[in-house]
Amino acid sequence: MDYKYDPESNVLSVTISQKPYDYAEEMGDFIVHFDKNNKPVYIEILNANKFLKKAVNTLSKETQKTISDALSA
């Protein structure tokens, strides 16, 4: 699995598989790309900073601190 963030477009891209994708579906702030067997292979998260803030806020304070410490190291 590979992650890339583009701050200019505020998009977080997640590569799940190296298989070629056949089609994509937009689901709110997510664009999910599927292979010919309907398995997700690539996800684009639009408005990523908003999504990540919400995701981090759902974590325990201890986990938030661990992530913060790791990012500042």
Side-chain angles (χ1 to χ4, degrees), residues 16-25 32-43:
I16 300 169
S17 168
Q18 295 301 320
K19 293 180 182 178
Y21 56 86
D22 190 52
Y23 67 98
E25 290 186 16
V32 182
H33 301 257
F34 297 90
D35 68 12
K36 64 182 180 180
N37 296 316
N38 301 319
K39 303 287 184 191
V41 294
Y42 184 73
I43 301 171

Side-chain angles (χ1 to χ4, degrees), residues 2-7 11-15 42-45 48:
D2 184 42
Y3 304 88
K4 291 182 185 173
Y5 176 68
D6 179 1
V11 173
L12 176 63
S13 302
V14 182
T15 302
Y42 184 73
I43 301 171
E44 295 172 274
I45 302 172

Side-chain angles (χ1 to χ4, degrees), residues 20-69:
Y21 56 86
D22 190 52
Y23 67 98
E25 290 186 16
E26 188 169 344
M27 303 170 190
D29 282 342
F30 295 82
I31 301 172
V32 182
H33 301 257
F34 297 90
D35 68 12
K36 64 182 180 180
N37 296 316
N38 301 319
K39 303 287 184 191
V41 294
Y42 184 73
I43 301 171
E44 295 172 274
I45 302 172
L46 313 176
N47 301 306
N49 59 354
K50 182 176 143 185
F51 168 79
L52 291 171
K53 284 178 188 176
K54 278 185 172 180
V56 167
N57 287 335
T58 64
L59 302 173
S60 70
K61 295 295 180 191
E62 182 178 321
T63 303
Q64 288 180 27
K65 183 175 177 352
T66 302
I67 291 170
S68 177
D69 291 347

